Amino acid sequence: DDLAKRNTRLQSIQKAQTERRKLLDDLKTALTAAYTDQADVTVASEGETVALSLPDKTLFDSKGLEISTSGKALLKSLAGILTERPELDVDVVCHTDNVLPKDKSLADTWDWSLRRATNLVRLLIAEYNVNANQLTPVAKGEYYPATSNATPEGRQKNRRTVLLLRPAMPPVPTAE
């Protein structure tokens, strides 16, 4: 009797884990399909999130603050997925390099990355009708570089935007 209860509990845990994996795989598949024509866009599973990395040179204007016309086109597919899936939570994580653009209104690289993140969030809400409750702008500044800031190429790689998408996950029953 005790063994039967444990097996039932184990099956419910395995079922919940399978459902969670399926949610993440379905989201990753949808994002990958939406961006198949975009060479610089990457989609990866990271734990219980799916990370969508968007290329800085396409996403932002030459000053590195406002979303460019090509960036708006790039965000259209993402916006479609977000409006179809209101249960998704998204952290819009913007990174910068250590050289501020010539904009006197920026205090530091955190300010720069926060402005980039909030500009992206505002655009998704205003132009694509994404629910504001789904989006959280996150500023990382220069403090999590992907590579060295010693060269222009390195600084370009460090200016990046990663959207961390988290689907609403079914709870996993606890083992007794």
Side-chain angles (χ1 to χ4, degrees), residues 14-69:
Q14 289 171 333
K15 181 181 177 196
Q17 289 173 330
T18 300
E19 288 173 12
R20 293 164 76 95
R21 264 193 306 278
K22 183 173 179 356
L23 282 170
L24 290 168
D25 290 345
D26 289 350
L27 178 58
K28 183 179 177 185
T29 299
L31 287 166
T32 301
Y35 288 101
T36 53
D37 297 336
Q38 301 291 328
D40 292 341
V41 174
T42 60
V43 180
S45 293
E46 296 179 0
E48 293 192 347
T49 65
V50 175
L52 174 67
S53 299
L54 300 176
D56 188 79
K57 62 183 178 270
T58 305
L59 194 56
F60 291 98
D61 67 8
S62 61
K63 294 180 184 176
L65 281 171
E66 300 299 324
I67 308 300
S68 67
T69 303

Side-chain angles (χ1 to χ4, degrees), residues 156-173:
Q156 177 65 42
K157 285 182 182 178
N158 287 331
R159 290 188 304 271
R160 63 197 188 280
T161 299
V162 180
L163 293 101
L164 301 174
L165 295 91
R166 286 181 307 285
M169 299 288 223
V172 175

